[in-house]
Amino acid sequence: MKTKKTITDNTVDPDILRYTVGDDVVLDLALAKWDCMGTAAHVTMLSEMKGLKRPVVTKAEAAKVRKALAAVVKMSDEGRFVIRDDDQDVHMAVERLLTEKLGDLGKKIHTGRSRNDQVAVDVRLHMKDEILAAEGEVCALATELCYFGFCAGAVPLVGRTHLQPAMPSTVEMWATGHAEMILDQIENLEAAYRLADLNPLGSAAGYGVPLPLDRSRTTKLLGFARTVHNCFGASMARGECEAALLSALAQLMAVLSRLAEDMILFSMPEFAYFRLPREYCTGSSIMPQKFNPDVLELVRSKAAQVLGLQTASLSLLHAMPGGYNRDLQDCKWLYMKGLEIARTTLRILAKVVKGMKVDADACRAAFTPGVFATDVALRKVAAGTPWRDAYHEVRDNLGQLDAEDPDAAVALKKHEGTCLGIDHDLYRRRIAAADKSAAARRRALDACCRKLLK
Ligand code: ARG
């Protein structure tokens, strides 16, 4: 049987190797920078380790390694970093490059470390970076929705329940309502961020090593909030982080999908409240009159996909025994795909919302007398009729309801959060605070990266 030699295995059947490597040679490219950062922190810590007869690496050697790692990051930034099949993954590709460049010193960098804690650290750094970017995109979409609402001002919109005409509302309330739900998703992303912000490095294969590793040192160097204390726990947490992020992304996508669904409905000719730019719609190969909102339909389908990815991650985890198992490698594709879908969807929706126009006449024309029924009953209450009697008087005489002025109706709704009670500053403040917090953390992460890889 023909076999292949790799850094870790002398004899692996090529078919088996290809199956076990899977898509890592491609997916791991996204981890290259983070792998170099993790290695720079590990080697720095090794060089500072006290109580050994002879240092594993000296401080001068650690500096050489960091410099070589910076060159690998540059290669990766320029698209010149490749992971070969016989590398198996980013970790071995980086070690190969360092060994080619630094000889025996390159062979020392993996001392006291396993690919298990190495990949866990890479994934967490990558996730932190991606969550911060996603939060920025959440803010950008919320900003577009708020601006859309602000421009429409108090244009009346039929508020619906069960999709049936219900009560007077405004375009502004619709848009900022969606914006608020979308902004709330930052809470879930932040929960995923907090889980990702723990350092598993130094847990090695999941049981520690007989070397005086200073785990809090790498935590500090890499800018993590704290260390995952238990080494076995650190290995167990791989996959859980990914599942938590996918859960946040699945929920976010469900919220985005509901926005997309409203936009599809309200831009239908039968409603015509909103108009999508023609260049954002796609035509039919047979029906010349068609301008279809395919882009928004695909938001719905992508939401279903991300939910599937979350389900896949939990299915993969739930029956897995403790400690590292190779199943975990497959979590990588799931969370990366979930991030890619959610982030692209956020950007696309921001663009579509920005291009969407309101047809104020169509919005007003949609008000049937029934939409004012509750307001009529409340006028009876103001004149002294008990609510339940007023309700029945209106319900028993629905045919007598008159068409009313929708603008006058919405002008009477002023309490917090209703038609004229929307506080735009509230959204502005929330968006600014979220943006500021993400930017500060991004700067801190960049600073760690610069310090380690110079
Ligand atoms: N590519 C692997 C993964 O993502 C790296 C860890 C391999 N560890 C092992 N014990 N085979 O899980």
Side-chain angles (χ1 to χ4, degrees), residues 31-341:
L31 300 178
K33 172 178 167 188
W34 311 112
D35 196 71
C36 290
M37 208 169 142
T39 297
H42 179 69
V43 172
T44 303
M45 182 276 292
L46 287 181
S47 75
E48 296 166 355
M49 230 163 29
K50 302 228 169 34
L52 292 177
K53 271 205 209 119
R54 155 207 313 266
V56 175
V57 289
T58 65
K59 293 207 168 131
E61 285 175 326
K64 268 194 197 164
V65 171
R66 286 196 299 267
K67 205 164 163 216
L69 286 166
V72 177
V73 173
K74 189 155 183 278
M75 279 172 76
S76 153
D77 288 345
E78 292 167 0
R80 290 184 292 111
F81 175 76
V82 279
I83 303 169
R84 301 194 314 223
D85 267 347
D86 57 349
D87 291 326
Q88 298 191 42
D89 48 36
V90 62
H91 325 298
M92 289 304 171
V94 172
E95 185 172 322
R96 171 177 54 76
L97 286 172
L98 292 192
T99 306
E100 280 165 15
K101 198 162 186 173
L102 305 172
D104 278 356
L105 178 54
K107 297 186 204 158
K108 293 182 183 176
I109 59 165
H110 206 57
T111 312
R113 187 177 67 171
S114 154
R115 277 183 297 169
N116 300 352
D117 60 340
Q118 189 177 359
V119 63
V121 109
D122 294 4
V123 162
R124 283 163 183 268
L125 290 169
H126 176 248
M127 270 173 61
K128 282 175 63 176
D129 183 56
E130 287 278 322
I131 292 171
L132 294 177
E135 287 183 1
E137 285 151 358
V138 165
C139 289
L141 172 58
T143 302
E144 284 305 342
L145 274 165
C146 288
Y147 187 68
F148 176 84
F150 179 74
C151 292
V155 169
L157 183 75
V158 172
R160 293 172 185 274
T161 66
H162 311 266
L163 267 187
Q164 307 290 318
M167 279 188 163
S169 175
T170 60
V171 173
E172 185 179 30
M173 185 146 88
W174 173 85
T176 51
H178 276 290
E180 188 163 331
M181 269 217 299
I182 289 165
L183 279 177
D184 284 347
Q185 300 313 303
I186 290 182
E187 303 287 333
N188 295 325
L189 289 170
E190 282 293 286
Y193 183 94
R194 281 194 295 277
L195 276 182
D197 200 14
L198 309 175
N199 181 21
L201 199 58
S203 57
Y207 303 96
V209 286
L211 282 172
L213 301 183
D214 184 352
R215 297 190 58 213
S216 59
R217 180 71 177 131
T218 59
T219 295
K220 186 147 188 271
L221 287 169
L222 293 168
F224 281 107
R226 66 173 169 84
T227 311
V228 183
H229 175 65
N230 186 306
C231 292
F232 178 62
S235 79
M236 292 284 288
R238 169 104 190 268
E240 300 296 339
C241 283
E242 290 90 323
L245 174 56
L246 279 166
S247 147
L249 295 176
Q251 195 160 346
L252 167 66
M253 285 299 295
V255 168
L256 299 184
S257 177
R258 292 180 70 190
L259 168 66
E261 178 59 19
D262 271 6
M263 286 162 72
I264 291 172
L265 277 176
F266 293 164
S267 60
M268 275 170 67
E270 288 79 354
F271 285 88
Y273 302 161
F274 302 155
R275 250 188 335 270
L276 298 172
R278 285 208 163 169
E279 63 273 23
Y280 291 0
C281 297
T282 33
S284 151
S285 60
I286 178 171
M287 297 167 281
Q289 85 283 14
K290 294 284 258 171
F291 294 95
N292 297 322
D294 300 35
V295 62
L296 298 171
E297 293 157 24
L298 284 163
V299 170
R300 284 190 311 223
S301 115
K302 304 279 180 228
Q305 281 179 39
V306 176
L307 185 58
L309 294 170
Q310 188 217 347
T311 308
S313 71
L314 290 175
S315 312
L316 184 155
L317 288 171
H318 86 282
M320 210 178 53
Y324 177 87
N325 299 276
R326 193 68 177 262
D327 317 37
L328 289 169
Q329 177 174 288
D330 277 343
C331 267
K332 202 183 308 182
W333 176 79
L334 300 176
Y335 94 88
M336 285 184 176
K337 191 72 196 163
L339 276 168
E340 182 206 314
I341 294 175

Side-chain angles (χ1 to χ4, degrees), residues 327-405:
D327 317 37
L328 289 169
Q329 177 174 288
D330 277 343
C331 267
K332 202 183 308 182
W333 176 79
L334 300 176
Y335 94 88
M336 285 184 176
K337 191 72 196 163
L339 276 168
E340 182 206 314
I341 294 175
R343 291 192 53 198
T344 316
T345 304
L346 285 164
R347 291 195 296 269
I348 278 291
L349 274 175
K351 185 171 172 139
V352 179
V353 168
K354 190 172 183 176
M356 195 163 69
K357 295 273 176 293
V358 177
D359 184 333
D361 292 339
C363 289
R364 290 193 176 92
F367 278 73
T368 51
V371 180
F372 304 99
T374 309
D375 294 11
V376 173
L378 283 169
R379 286 205 290 269
K380 291 179 187 290
V381 168
T385 313
W387 165 255
R388 193 50 61 203
D389 293 337
Y391 169 90
H392 282 298
E393 278 174 31
V394 176
R395 189 162 179 87
D396 293 345
N397 300 286
L398 289 174
Q400 285 164 28
L401 285 171
D402 292 323
E404 296 191 20
D405 175 7

